Amino acid sequence: MIDLLGKYVEVIANEITYTGKLVEIGEEEVFLESESGWVVIPVERVSVIKQREED
């Protein structure tokens, strides 16, 4: 996952897909910088983090 830091990703959590630049993966939260601002997602809700196709 560390190789995705600074890249544009899709994060799937609780059947919701978030997109943005992956800024940090902490022990408890994932931080994304999206077009609409910061998104903080609890790690226990995240099922997938993958690089966006059109990066």
Side-chain angles (χ1 to χ4, degrees):
M1 294 294 162
I2 293 175
D3 59 321
L4 294 176
L5 289 175
K7 296 185 179 176
Y8 287 89
V9 297
E10 293 180 350
V11 177
I12 301 173
N14 289 350
E15 299 180 15
I16 300 171
T17 302
Y18 301 91
T19 58
K21 184 166 68 170
L22 183 61
V23 177
E24 183 179 340
I25 302 175
E27 289 185 27
E28 297 182 11
E29 298 170 321
V30 174
F31 296 87
L32 293 179
E33 185 177 357
S34 72
E35 290 181 11
S36 60
W38 287 95
V39 178
V40 181
I41 307 162
V43 168
E44 69 263 1
R45 295 184 180 168
V46 174
S47 56
V48 175
I49 299 177
K50 63 181 180 177
Q51 188 168 353
R52 285 182 51 182
E53 297 290 326
E54 61 269 6
D55 187 39

